């Protein structure tokens, strides 16, 4: 999904990738787009917008099915103690 990062990051980009972009080619070529969701790391999930990802998959023609993906709960370590 590196080709799509600038379309799905929370604070950047346009959630509508051009149909003939590398992002759409990657999404269309994915055999199971739901499997791609499961490969995001906890850190990546803090940076990306799942809504933008869902929109990009829809625009590119390999959309997520409604209610098919559950965002995993992310447990982050506590911040370092200030001294």
């Amino acid at each position: 999904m590196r080709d799509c990062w600038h379309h799905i990051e929370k604070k950047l980009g346009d959630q509508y990738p051009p149909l003939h972009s590398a992002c759409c080619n990657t999404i269309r070529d994915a055999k199971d787009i739901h499997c791609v969701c499961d490969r995001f790391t906890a850190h990546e999930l803090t940076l990306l917008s799942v809504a933008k990802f869902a929109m990009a998959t829809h625009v590119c023609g390999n959309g997520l099915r409604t209610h098919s993906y559950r965002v995993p709960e992310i447990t982050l370590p506590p911040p370092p103690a200030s001294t």
Side-chain angles (χ1 to χ4, degrees):
M1 294 309 302
R2 287 185 182 105
D3 295 326
C4 296
W5 193 252
H6 60 280
H7 295 289
I8 62 175
E9 192 169 0
K10 282 181 184 175
K11 298 179 182 178
L12 294 176
D14 179 8
Q15 64 186 353
Y16 303 103
L19 291 178
H20 299 292
S21 66
C23 176
C24 276
N25 289 337
T26 299
I27 289 173
R28 274 193 300 274
D29 291 345
K31 300 287 184 224
D32 185 359
I33 198 67
H34 300 90
C35 210
V36 171
C37 293
D38 294 335
R39 292 180 181 231
F40 289 125
T41 66
H43 177 69
E44 288 171 336
L45 287 171
T46 65
L47 300 175
L48 67 84
S49 165
V50 175
K52 282 185 175 181
F53 175 71
M55 181 57 71
T57 64
H58 176 74
V59 167
C60 294
N62 192 7
L64 295 171
R65 293 181 298 280
T66 306
H67 305 292
S68 64
Y69 181 68
R70 217 174 108 194
V71 177
E73 186 175 325
I74 301 169
T75 306
L76 298 175
S82 59
T83 55

